[in-house]
Amino acid sequence: MPHLPDHLLTGYRNFMNGRYLAESGRYRSLAREGQSPETMIVACCDSRAAPEAIFDAGPGELFVLRNVGNLVPPYAPDDQFHSTSAALEFAVQSLKVKHIVVMGHGRCGGIRAALDSTAAPLSPGDFIGKWMSLIAPAAETVSSSTFMTATERQTALERISIRYSIANLRTFPCVSILEGKGRLSLHGAWFDISTGELWVMNKDTGDFERPEMT
């Protein structure tokens, strides 16, 4: 029995004979000089919404953090483990990224769980239930609306959660200070898996709009 699934070994072989071969100089440069991406992406760990694929990014171009629901918790410097906060701190203070993009996506399982925490196989006692409670107030408000369909409620919360995460980003001193100095910009985006559409959050209104594509 192989130590890795066959499809991963096949993929690695294709990578070495394809992309790595074509960009070997770039990889050697990154290994020698280190990474210096200008943009951090906070995205969902859903396998269907990979930022590197969506934005056609090469090696070293994006610093990507993925978790369930693309959430950013509020600043909480305590004795607990904070993987998302640690990655954010590293990106801002060590890599000195210039942009942070919170990118949600359609048909998000984490958001669906937030709207209905009793849905199988998830429950409030699981890790996912605790994690998604970060947006519980918004989930309660959205789920109580009888004027929207289930699909509309999910899309609404997917986009609201992006605004929540951006608001939580600003609770981090390293983020708020640099944003105030104009050295860091925060952005929101939402990707539709089914159609491939990308919607970008208007910084002034909070609305999601389709960017002009030339």
Side-chain angles (χ1 to χ4, degrees):
M1 178 179 291
H3 296 295
L4 281 177
D6 287 340
H7 70 277
L8 294 183
L9 293 174
T10 298
Y12 171 69
R13 189 178 303 111
N14 293 338
F15 165 74
M16 289 302 294
N17 293 329
R19 183 161 195 171
Y20 185 83
L21 189 62
E23 300 185 72
S24 57
R26 172 66 173 160
Y27 278 100
R28 284 195 292 269
S29 176
L30 287 168
R32 182 175 60 254
E33 300 171 9
Q35 60 173 324
S36 56
E38 292 191 353
T39 301
M40 176 185 190
I41 308 283
V42 181
C44 184
C45 54
D46 192 299
S47 61
R48 302 166 296 177
E52 295 91 340
I54 293 168
F55 296 110
D56 192 27
E61 292 182 0
L62 297 176
F63 184 76
V64 178
L65 165 67
R66 301 180 72 172
N67 61 43
V68 176
N70 44 268
L71 299 181
V72 175
Y75 180 68
D78 52 32
D79 61 352
Q80 300 301 307
F81 296 100
H82 298 280
S83 63
T84 294
S85 300
L88 173 65
E89 183 179 65
F90 179 71
V92 173
Q93 299 200 42
S94 296
L95 298 179
K96 303 187 185 305
V97 296
K98 297 178 181 178
H99 304 277
I100 300 176
V101 180
V102 178
M103 188 184 77
H105 68 93
R107 299 166 178 79
C108 178
I111 295 297
R112 185 170 62 252
L115 287 168
D116 183 9
S117 60
T118 63
L122 305 175
S123 72
D126 294 324
F127 289 108
I128 182 73
K130 174 65 174 178
W131 178 247
M132 296 311 298
S133 69
L134 284 167
I135 55 170
E140 292 172 4
T141 299
V142 172
S143 62
S144 66
S145 175
T146 59
F147 294 99
M148 291 190 291
T149 67
T151 299
E152 289 171 336
R153 285 193 290 271
Q154 171 141 350
T155 299
L157 187 56
E158 286 165 355
R159 294 182 174 185
I160 289 170
S161 71
I162 295 169
R163 292 196 284 267
Y164 259 60
S165 287
I166 291 176
N168 284 342
L169 279 170
R170 294 190 170 111
T171 67
F172 287 77
C174 62
V175 172
S176 60
I177 291 172
L178 291 176
E179 185 185 28
K181 293 180 178 180
R183 292 163 53 187
L184 180 64
S185 297
L186 307 184
H187 312 267
W190 180 86
F191 175 73
D192 191 320
I193 294 171
S194 177
T195 64
E197 291 182 353
L198 182 71
W199 294 70
V200 178
M201 192 186 78
N202 184 307
K203 293 184 179 180
D204 298 323
T205 66
D207 291 326
F208 283 82
E209 307 166 347
R210 290 295 313 282
E212 293 185 7
M213 307 296 290
T214 56

